[in-house]
């Protein structure tokens, strides 16, 4: 499947030029012309890379980048006419992955797109756990269902990570308690049951039509096999 790229650029001619160049390079290219439009698309669609202009109407690129980094690790290439080193450094510190100064060479830009996606994919494969439409990023500790972020406590996250890491394995209440709490299990299963119930509730609020954790009666819990 071709990679999906979002171009956030208010100049119509430049935006369309980038869309056409990316499409010719076999990418799925999508356009946004304002910061708010770009943010809305990012909150509802998963992209493999973002080309981001800095001078945007309604929300500057640096504001958008800062907000984006609260929920996504998607690589971002800044496209800007500003070439001051201090500006580049500030944006890289905010979370940008690369910086291209206008005017730019299209072939070089496409090469940078390919490089950043490849670098991101190598990291993404290592740190992302997937099950159905549920994703868990072990680097950022972000958990999401279809890009809807799930707010988990530290122990809830650890339980879910353990289940996803060992897909199909049945964990007894004792297994979970000793692995997550780091203490000997003395037979009181209320803590484990409460945390499993909370996880289920939070996952169901994001997707009420799917089951994720299965109770294996008399044994324990595992990822749902139905």
């Amino acid at each position: 499947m071709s990679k999906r790229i979002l171009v956030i650029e208010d100049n119509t001619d430049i935006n369309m030029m980038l869309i056409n160049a990316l499409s010719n390079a076999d990418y799925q290219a999508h356009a946004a012309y304002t910061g708010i439009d770009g943010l809305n698309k990012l909150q509802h669609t998963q992209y493999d890379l973002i080309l981001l202009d800095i001078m945007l109407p309604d929300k500057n690129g640096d504001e958008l980048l800062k907000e984006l980094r609260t929920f996504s690790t998607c690589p971002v290439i800044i496209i800007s006419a500003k070439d001051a080193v201090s500006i580049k450094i500030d944006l890289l510190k905010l979370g940008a992955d690369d910086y291209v100064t206008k005017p730019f060479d299209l072939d070089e830009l496409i090469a940078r797109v390919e490089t950043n996606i490849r670098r991101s994919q190598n990291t993404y494969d290592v740190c992302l756990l997937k099950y159905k439409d549920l994703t868990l990023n072990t680097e950022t500790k972000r958990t999401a269902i279809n890009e809807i972020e799930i707010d988990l406590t530290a122990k809830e996250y650890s339980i879910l990570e353990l289940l996803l890491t060992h897909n199909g394995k049945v964990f007894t209440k004792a297994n979970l308690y000793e692995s997550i709490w780091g203490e000997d299990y003395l037979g009181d299963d209320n803590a484990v049951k409460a945390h499993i119930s909370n996880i289920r509730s939070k996952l169901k609020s994001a997707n009420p039509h799917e089951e994720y954790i299965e109770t294996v009666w008399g044994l324990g819990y595992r990822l749902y096999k139905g």
Side-chain angles (χ1 to χ4, degrees):
M1 181 181 295
S2 59
K3 302 300 182 182
R4 188 182 291 119
I5 297 176
L6 179 63
V7 179
I8 308 176
E9 163 66 66
D10 65 319
N11 184 296
T12 303
D13 291 337
I14 295 177
N15 198 316
M16 290 309 301
M17 178 183 68
L18 290 168
I19 293 292
N20 290 334
L22 290 163
S23 298
N24 290 335
D26 294 327
Y27 292 107
Q28 294 182 42
H30 301 253
Y33 295 93
T34 69
I36 290 178
D37 182 29
L39 184 61
N40 183 60
K41 283 183 168 65
L42 289 166
Q43 289 174 330
H44 293 88
T45 305
Q46 185 171 340
Y47 291 93
D48 297 286
L49 185 134
I50 302 158
L51 294 176
L52 175 63
D53 184 26
I54 292 301
M55 302 302 293
L56 294 169
D58 67 45
K59 183 185 284 287
N60 283 338
D62 53 349
E63 296 176 61
L64 194 153
L65 177 62
K66 184 182 293 186
E67 195 163 347
L68 168 68
R69 283 297 176 244
T70 65
F71 65 86
S72 174
T73 59
C74 176
V76 176
I77 299 178
I78 300 296
I79 300 176
S80 176
K82 297 182 178 181
D83 60 359
V85 173
S86 60
I87 294 176
K88 294 180 182 179
I89 291 174
D90 287 344
L91 287 163
L92 291 170
K93 286 182 177 179
L94 276 178
D97 297 89
D98 205 346
Y99 195 106
V100 176
T101 304
K102 298 177 182 177
F104 49 81
D105 180 83
L106 275 175
D107 290 336
E108 179 187 352
L109 180 63
I110 296 298
R112 287 174 180 258
V113 167
E114 293 172 355
T115 298
N116 278 278
I117 287 179
R118 184 168 60 248
R119 183 186 303 129
S120 171
Q121 193 65 48
N122 289 339
T123 303
Y124 186 85
D125 289 342
V126 170
C127 67
L128 200 71
L129 299 174
K130 289 184 178 182
Y131 177 67
K132 298 183 178 180
D133 56 358
L134 169 66
T135 58
L136 187 150
N137 191 307
T138 60
E139 182 177 293
T140 64
K141 307 303 181 186
R142 178 175 181 262
T143 304
I145 292 176
N146 291 325
E147 290 304 299
I148 300 173
E149 188 154 3
I150 313 299
D151 185 17
L152 299 175
T153 66
K155 282 187 170 58
E156 289 167 359
Y157 171 88
S158 296
I159 290 171
L160 194 57
E161 181 183 20
L162 190 64
L163 292 173
L164 265 69
T165 302
H166 303 278
N167 189 346
K169 175 179 170 61
V170 177
F171 286 89
T172 65
K173 296 181 182 71
N175 291 154
L176 288 173
Y177 190 86
E178 292 175 359
S179 296
I180 305 304
W181 276 261
E183 302 172 2
D184 291 337
Y185 179 69
L186 301 178
D188 183 1
D189 60 6
N190 288 333
V192 173
K193 289 170 65 176
H195 280 74
I196 291 290
S197 176
N198 289 339
I199 294 169
R200 281 175 166 157
S201 177
K202 291 176 180 181
L203 297 181
K204 186 168 285 293
S205 68
N207 184 355
H209 307 295
E210 189 61 87
E211 296 290 340
Y212 300 93
I213 299 175
E214 177 181 9
T215 298
V216 182
W217 296 108
L219 293 175
Y221 305 98
R222 68 181 176 193
L223 293 182
Y224 191 77
K225 292 301 177 185

